[in-house]
Structure formats: structure tokens, C-alpha cells
Amino acid sequence: MICAIDCGGTRIKAAAVDEDGSPVGEVRTAAAEGEPVEAILAVAREVAPGCDAVGLCVPGLVDERGVIVSLPGKLEGIVGVDLPAVLQDGLGLPATVVNDAVAYGVGEAVHGAAAGSAAAPW
């Protein structure tokens, strides 16, 4: 299972998901106000038990290490934070952080409209 986290401008959602991408248990939510890094960790801790890894998507520009390099007007204090390391340290799980459009595209390619397509590279 994967601890999947979607961090938007105002809300953070997290759920444990199985190999098919289906939620296992309840989807948890938290406000993204105040200290967003702590809010991400708090909601992730609710669903991470039993998970093998964690994935976080955010609406900003993310570099190849998973560090947010630009997130104009949203989630104060999160730009430049090594979120993969924060998640690994806080949850004890390997972590990946990507832009939310990238996560959406991969989801469509693997489980959605493009699943099984000859155009999909996998």
C-alpha cells in the first residue's frame, strides 16, 4: 500500500491506496493553513500505518529531488523544504514528491483513459 497525499492550496487529503489506486479505509483531510509541513505530516500519520511508501503531489514547480521551487501565493513556508526527507524522517517510509499534474498524468496512463494504450511507454 501507498500513503497517497494530495496537497492543494487550502486542503490536504491523504489515503492509503492499494496497487490499483483504490483507497483502503477513509480519506483523511486537514486544512493547509498555518504550518503546512506539520499539517501534511499529521494527516499522513493517520493513514500511513501498514503502508510501504508515501507519495505527495503539490500544485507547484517541483525539482528532480522533490523540492518545491515555486508555489506562488500558496502554502507559505513550504518552498525550498526537502519534503521527501521530511516525510521519510517523519513516517519512516521512502517518499516521492511530484507536481500534481504529473501525478494526474501518470494515474491516467496507468489506471485511466490511457491504460493499455500503445502510446503509454510502460
Side-chain angles (χ1 to χ4, degrees), residues 2-122:
I2 304 293
C3 173
I5 309 164
D6 177 21
C7 187
T10 59
R11 221 170 26 141
I12 301 163
K13 295 173 279 193
V17 297
D18 63 19
E19 291 180 12
D20 295 326
S22 299
V24 176
E26 292 184 40
V27 175
R28 302 293 186 172
T29 62
E33 301 168 346
E35 179 55 49
V37 174
E38 289 304 317
I40 291 167
L41 280 171
V43 74
R45 285 184 182 117
E46 293 182 32
V47 300
C51 289
D52 302 308
V54 60
L56 168 65
C57 66
V58 296
L61 297 176
V62 180
D63 71 14
E64 67 280 352
R65 299 169 296 146
V67 175
I68 299 170
V69 295
S70 178
L71 191 63
K74 296 181 180 182
L75 305 170
E76 293 294 322
I78 205 167
V79 173
V81 175
D82 187 349
L83 289 172
V86 168
L87 291 166
Q88 288 171 6
D89 292 346
L91 301 172
L93 299 170
T96 299
V97 178
V98 298
N99 170 270
D100 56 2
V102 170
Y104 179 82
V106 170
E108 280 297 316
V110 176
H111 299 289
S117 168
W122 39 84

